[in-house]
Amino acid sequence: MKILVINAGSSSVKFTLFDMDQDVWLAKGLIERMKSPAASLKYSNHLGQKMEKNIVANSYEAAISAACLALCDNEYGVIGSLEVIVGIGHRVVHGGAEVSGSLRLTPEVKQTILDCYALAPLHNPPNYEGIEACEFLFPEIPQVAVFDTAFHQTMPAEAYTYAIPAAVTAQHKLRRYGFHGTSHHYVALAGAKALGRDIKECKLITAHLGNGCSITAINQGRVADTSMGVTPLEGLVMGTRCGDVDPALVLFLCRAGHSVDDVDKLLNKSSGLLGLAGIGSGDMRDIITAADGRNAAAKLALDVFIHRLQKYVGAYAAVLNGFDALIFTGGIGENSARIRTLVCERLGYLGIELDPAKNRANEIVISRNATGPKVMAVPTNEELMIARETARLLS
Ligand code: ADP
């Protein structure tokens, strides 16, 4: 059973072809700088062959056609014909308050995605365009939407409700939606499996640390709390996003003469590690290098990042009334033994102790304690989760 997974962004399309009988990927690629003369395709297959070339990709249809040509290419391709693809799974960021699981695409489901444009203005429009392009190119192939917000719909009202007037909440559909849900769900399932347990028997804290960062408390397979809110701005310190601030700070800046758009850009694009360190990069590797080179602002950026994370783990330990494992994932969480050490050395009171050798080797279980919570580094795989959900809905 071959499933194609599409993640359509504002100027890029990521694609992965899976063989679900083996639960493995066959080929994947990225089309970047769409709608520009510099559009390019990067592609690799499971045999280790890679290709990179400039393409014409003035539309999502053109970009996805280029991906399909690569999949069927004589030299690099992995399938003889597109007819073997039985389903297409799409990453969709926002499903609003009504969507609590993956859905087969119908006109009603597409309308739900459109209705959430205001809640995810950067993500839902390109996700939608990717869906329309695939429907145009492959009218016979069933399509499925897998929503970043869906897993978080299991959260209780006490955790997702903002303490503002209920009428305003209802009018604007305001609540903690949470994001990275597919990733949190995937690593929670994979982490529980690696511990030889069922997710329904575990209390887990999953920290997705990439360019965007979020942390989720999961109790027996259901979300107990998560750090991102009505938008992906709330919570942890991120590459360019501030995470938690006093909401009155926004009012203060507006009254001080900044426009609403200015403040939006300031908090989403110029803050976080980038804004704190002032070295022109919000990439954690650059921040660590600068901090080690005695750049005081970069050192502060690192400290603020770690402090916020420490605070959230403590809060979620309290929300869960104890937990079985802390799971790190995302580019930083999976690869940075240093960040994991800096956080975990502040969590000894919870019974957490890292095994330095296992941590350095990025093993799955990186703690050494026989009792108390385990610490894990679990690579995320949102595409595989989307493919599994697509296969589940179509079978
Ligand atoms: P995205 O959220 O865009 O998918 P990723 O999950 O790939 O991003 O994470 C990107 C982040 O991971 C960057 O801040 C990058 O510096 C960081 N990262 C990747 N490898 C390492 C590493 N070995 N040490 C520290 N940070 C790393």
Side-chain angles (χ1 to χ4, degrees):
M1 185 185 208
K2 309 281 190 297
I3 300 279
L4 179 62
V5 172
I6 298 285
N7 182 352
S10 58
S11 64
S12 69
V13 174
K14 283 188 201 159
F15 62 95
T16 312
L17 183 71
F18 286 93
D19 179 351
M20 296 316 290
D21 299 324
Q22 315 291 333
D23 215 30
V24 294
W25 68 277
L26 298 175
K28 58 184 161 189
L30 169 67
I31 290 139
E32 288 180 293
R33 293 182 292 276
M34 272 174 57
K35 302 178 189 171
S36 94
S40 68
L41 164 73
K42 286 186 190 134
Y43 170 91
S44 56
N45 67 26
H46 66 119
L47 302 170
Q49 292 175 297
K50 291 184 194 308
M51 89 159 137
E52 195 170 336
K53 62 179 183 182
N54 290 330
I55 57 167
V56 177
N58 290 326
S59 63
Y60 286 91
E61 284 88 353
I64 293 166
S65 298
C68 291
L69 280 177
L71 292 172
C72 299
D73 185 79
N74 278 341
E75 196 179 344
Y76 298 97
V78 289
I79 47 176
S81 132
L82 297 174
E83 280 168 20
V84 299
I85 298 175
V86 299
I88 301 180
H90 294 268
R91 179 196 182 202
V92 180
V93 164
H94 220 304
E98 274 82 47
V99 174
S100 58
S102 307
L103 294 170
R104 183 125 173 210
L105 277 155
T106 61
E108 293 73 33
V109 174
K110 286 174 68 185
Q111 186 58 47
T112 303
I113 298 169
L114 282 171
D115 291 343
C116 293
Y117 269 26
L119 292 168
L122 301 180
H123 294 100
N124 269 35
N127 298 161
Y128 186 87
E129 288 192 51
I131 290 167
E132 293 241 290
C134 285
E135 286 180 338
F136 175 77
L137 292 168
F138 312 109
E140 309 299 331
I141 303 181
Q143 320 231 3
V144 167
V146 179
F147 298 86
D148 275 22
T149 49
F151 182 47
H152 297 301
Q153 290 291 315
T154 56
M155 209 174 354
E158 63 182 30
Y160 71 66
T161 305
Y162 287 117
I164 60 172
V168 177
T169 294
Q171 185 188 353
H172 298 287
K173 298 186 179 169
L174 300 174
R175 54 167 283 169
R176 185 182 305 284
Y177 284 105
F179 297 87
H180 294 141
T182 309
S183 174
H184 287 290
H185 197 186
Y186 177 86
V187 297
L189 288 166
K193 193 170 170 198
L195 294 177
R197 302 183 49 188
D198 190 282
I199 190 174
K200 294 219 164 71
E201 300 164 358
C202 299
K203 295 191 214 176
L204 304 169
I205 299 177
T206 52
H208 179 110
L209 310 176
N211 285 314
C213 300
S214 65
I215 182 164
T216 296
I218 302 168
N219 193 359
Q220 300 179 328
R222 299 173 70 83
V223 172
D225 206 343
T226 192
S227 60
M228 284 179 166
V230 68
T231 77
L233 184 58
E234 194 178 348
L236 299 175
V237 176
M238 314 183 209
T240 66
R241 285 174 250 168
C242 57
D244 293 338
V245 291
D246 181 344
L249 179 144
V250 176
L251 308 178
F252 180 91
L253 289 174
C254 288
R255 289 188 184 120
H258 293 266
S259 69
V260 171
D261 285 347
D262 272 356
V263 179
D264 187 351
K265 205 166 147 211
L266 183 131
L267 300 179
N268 274 297
K269 301 251 161 79
S270 317
S271 293
L273 298 172
L274 174 75
L276 283 168
I279 57 168
S281 170
D283 188 295
M284 183 54 95
R285 286 165 291 201
D286 298 334
I287 302 295
I288 292 174
T289 305
D292 288 348
R294 296 180 186 275
N295 179 317
K299 171 76 170 59
L300 178 62
L302 198 54
D303 290 346
V304 176
F305 182 92
I306 298 296
H307 175 82
R308 186 81 53 87
L309 197 46
Q310 172 197 10
K311 232 164 67 167
Y312 265 94
V313 175
Y316 286 177
V319 164
L320 291 171
N321 196 14
F323 61 100
D324 300 301
L326 168 62
I327 300 176
F328 289 97
T329 193
I332 300 171
E334 291 166 26
N335 299 305
S336 181
R338 175 80 173 278
I339 294 295
R340 295 189 301 248
T341 302
L342 287 171
V343 184
C344 289
E345 65 191 12
R346 298 178 178 204
L347 300 173
Y349 77 100
L350 291 169
I352 278 180
E353 194 186 355
L354 283 186
D355 180 315
K358 290 180 179 172
N359 186 34
R360 269 196 308 276
N362 294 328
E363 288 188 18
I364 300 283
V365 178
I366 55 176
S367 50
R368 71 163 138 218
N369 45 334
T371 56
K374 301 274 182 293
V375 184
M376 309 177 81
V378 179
T380 194
N381 195 338
E382 286 153 286
E383 285 77 18
L384 178 57
M385 191 77 183
I386 293 170
R388 283 181 183 161
E389 283 292 281
T390 306
R392 184 177 66 79
L393 282 188
L394 298 183
S395 60

